[in-house]
C-alpha cells in the first residue's frame, strides 16, 4: 500500500495543530486535546461512512474498494454536517473546548497550506492567505462563533471574487461557505436578540 504524500501532510498538519494547542493552552490541556480528538474521530468515521453513500455503485461489487476510494468534497460536506449534528448533542460537555478545537483547526489549515506549497509545490495563494487570515482571526477574536462566522464570510467573498479556498486539500464550493456563514451569523444574531 502506497501512502499518498498529501495524507502525510494532513497528518503532520493536524499534529502541528495539537502541538500549538498544547503550547498555547494554559489550563485543561489534556481535556482540550481529548475534546478535539473526540471531534476528529467522529469526523473521520463519518467521512469513511459517507464514502459508502457517495460510492454506492461499488458497495455490492467491491465493498473493500470503497474504503480505498479517495474521499472528496461530497464526503467532506456530509461528514462536516453530520459531525455538527452529533457534536450538537454533546454541546454541554464540549462547549468549554470549542475555542481550543477551532485553534487546532486554524493551525492545521495554515500548516497544511504552507507544507503543501513548500513540499509539493501545489495549492495557490488564496488557500495560504485564507488559512493565514483564519489563524489570525482565531488568535485575536474572542468568541468562537464570531471566528467561524468571519472566516466563512471571507471564504464566501473569496469564492465570489476569485476562487473558494480549499480545506485540507479539498476544493470547497462557494455555497458551502455561504450556508456556513448564514448559519453562524444567524446563530450569533439570535443569541443577541435573546440577551
Amino acid at each position: 500500500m502506497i501512502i499518498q504524500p498529501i495524507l502525510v501532510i494532513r497528518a503532520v498538519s493536524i499534529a502541528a495543530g495539537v502541538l500549538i494547542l498544547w503550547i498555547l493552552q494554559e489550563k485543561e490541556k489534556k481535556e482540550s486535546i481529548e475534546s478535539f480528538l473526540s471531534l476528529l474521530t467522529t469526523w473521520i468515521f463519518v467521512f469513511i461512512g459517507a464514502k459508502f453513500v457517495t460510492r454506492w455503485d461499488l458497495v455490492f461489487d467491491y465493498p473493500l474498494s470503497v474504503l480505498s476510494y479517495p474521499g472528496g468534497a461530497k464526503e467532506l460536506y456530509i461528514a462536516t454536517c453530520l459531525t455538527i449534528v452529533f457534536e450538537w448533542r454533546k454541546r454541554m460537555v464540549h462547549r468549554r473546548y470549542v475555542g481550543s478545537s477551532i485553534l487546532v483547526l486554524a493551525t492545521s489549515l495554515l500548516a497544511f497550506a504552507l507544507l503543501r506549497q513548500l513540499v509539493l509545490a501545489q495549492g495557490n495563494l488564496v488557500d495560504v492567505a485564507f488559512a493565514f487570515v483564519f489563524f489570525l482571526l482565531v488568535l485575536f477574536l474572542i468568541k468562537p462563533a464570531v471566528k467561524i462566522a468571519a472566516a466563512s464570510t471571507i471564504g464566501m467573498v473569496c469564492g465570489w471574487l476569485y476562487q473558494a479556498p480549499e480545506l485540507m486539500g479539498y476544493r470547497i464550493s462557494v455555497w458551502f461557505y455561504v450556508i456556513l456563514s448564514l448559519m453562524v451569523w444567524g446563530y450569533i444574531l439570535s443569541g443577541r436578540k435573546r440577551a
Side-chain angles (χ1 to χ4, degrees):
M1 182 173 133
I2 299 172
I3 298 175
Q4 297 177 342
I6 198 95
L7 186 60
V8 174
I9 290 175
R10 283 185 186 125
V12 169
S13 300
I14 291 170
V18 171
L19 179 65
I20 293 296
L21 174 64
W22 183 263
I23 291 169
L24 295 180
Q25 190 81 24
E26 294 176 11
K27 298 184 263 183
E28 301 178 327
K29 291 183 181 192
K30 184 180 177 192
E31 292 83 2
S32 299
I33 291 172
E34 285 176 356
S35 175
F36 171 74
L37 292 177
S38 169
L39 178 72
L40 180 64
T41 304
T42 302
W43 187 88
I44 288 171
F45 281 126
V46 175
F47 185 82
I48 291 169
K51 288 201 248 182
F52 286 96
V53 174
T54 58
R55 298 304 304 181
W56 187 252
D57 53 329
L58 294 177
V59 170
F60 294 113
D61 296 334
Y62 309 102
L64 292 179
S65 69
V66 173
L67 295 176
S68 64
Y69 174 77
K74 289 178 188 174
E75 290 85 2
L76 183 128
Y77 301 146
I78 293 169
T80 302
C81 292
L82 289 179
T83 301
I84 289 169
V85 170
F86 292 147
E87 289 299 316
W88 183 257
R89 294 186 339 205
K90 300 182 206 174
R91 68 187 176 278
M92 301 316 277
V93 176
H94 290 195
R95 177 177 282 171
R96 297 184 335 190
Y97 309 113
V98 170
S100 301
S101 294
I102 293 172
L103 174 64
V104 174
L105 175 65
T107 306
S108 300
L109 288 176
L110 181 58
F112 179 84
L114 292 174
L115 285 172
R116 185 175 182 199
Q117 190 76 322
L118 296 172
V119 175
L120 299 178
Q122 295 176 350
N124 60 43
L125 186 59
V126 171
D127 301 331
V128 176
F130 175 76
F132 183 70
V133 169
F134 183 37
F135 183 74
L136 291 178
L137 289 171
V138 168
L139 289 181
F140 295 114
L141 292 178
I142 295 172
K143 297 199 179 262
V146 175
K147 296 172 186 183
I148 296 294
S152 60
T153 302
I154 291 168
M156 177 180 67
V157 171
C158 287
W160 281 337
L161 297 178
Y162 177 65
Q163 179 179 17
E166 287 185 357
L167 295 179
M168 299 291 275
Y170 295 104
R171 179 60 54 201
I172 303 299
S173 174
V174 70
W175 69 262
F176 182 78
Y177 289 108
V178 170
I179 291 172
L180 185 61
S181 181
L182 290 173
M183 284 173 45
V184 180
W185 282 117
Y187 170 77
I188 292 169
L189 294 175
S190 69
R192 285 188 181 169
K193 287 178 184 174
R194 284 189 301 243

